[in-house]
């Protein structure tokens, strides 16, 4: 929706779609998922979830007006997800290492966010 609506209209739409986004970065919201075993093919996807969330949260923030009070919370949550996942993008475990780099590139290059 951020790609088809202007910032003000997007902000209104987002309020209806995700009303629980806090207007204050101090309130805990959308904690990163915890990966308990990166060698497990199913659990390795949790790093992908954190990377994808970070990228999407940055996208949501990028579509809002600069004065929107949710920006700090969105950016704080994106940063937590980024920090939880990026250091784990290594070649140590094939089950995650062979594809997580793509998500990391989307996030770090800000692909599609501008």
């Amino acid at each position: 929706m951020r790609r088809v609506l202007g910032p003000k209209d997007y902000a209104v739409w987002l309020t209806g779609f995700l009303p629980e986004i806090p207007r204050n970065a101090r309130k805990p919201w959308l904690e990163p998922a915890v990966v308990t075993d990166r060698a497990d093919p199913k659990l390795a996807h949790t790093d992908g979830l954190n990377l994808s969330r970070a990228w999407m949260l940055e996208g949501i923030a990028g579509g809002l007006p600069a004065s929107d009070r949710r920006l700090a919370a969105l950016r704080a949550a994106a940063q937590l997800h980024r920090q939880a996942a990026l250091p784990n993008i290594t070649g140590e475990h094939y089950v995650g290492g062979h594809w997580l780099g793509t998500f990391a590139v989307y996030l770090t290059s800000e692909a599609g966010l501008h």
Side-chain angles (χ1 to χ4, degrees):
M1 295 303 293
R2 72 179 165 84
R3 292 184 175 135
V4 297
L5 296 175
K8 288 181 183 179
D9 290 334
Y10 176 63
V12 170
W13 174 84
L14 187 62
T15 299
F17 186 72
L18 287 174
E20 67 275 5
I21 298 173
R23 295 184 177 344
N24 161 346
R26 293 185 192 128
K27 182 179 177 186
W29 177 73
L30 196 63
E31 295 293 323
V34 176
V35 183
T36 55
D37 182 3
R38 288 189 170 78
D40 181 300
K42 291 180 183 173
L43 296 177
H45 284 81
T46 308
D47 276 324
L49 172 66
N50 287 332
L51 290 169
S52 180
R53 279 183 177 176
W55 183 42
M56 295 299 141
L57 289 164
E58 289 290 344
I60 291 169
L64 293 170
S67 61
D68 196 289
R69 293 177 47 217
R70 296 169 287 193
L71 287 174
L74 287 164
R75 291 187 175 132
Q79 185 64 21
L80 285 175
H81 283 78
R82 175 188 290 259
Q83 291 170 342
L86 275 181
N88 303 305
I89 309 306
T90 68
E92 182 179 0
H93 301 291
Y94 175 78
V95 297
H98 75 282
W99 63 274
L100 286 171
T102 304
F103 282 37
V105 168
Y106 290 160
L107 174 61
T108 60
S109 70
E110 300 179 348
L113 299 184
H114 302 287

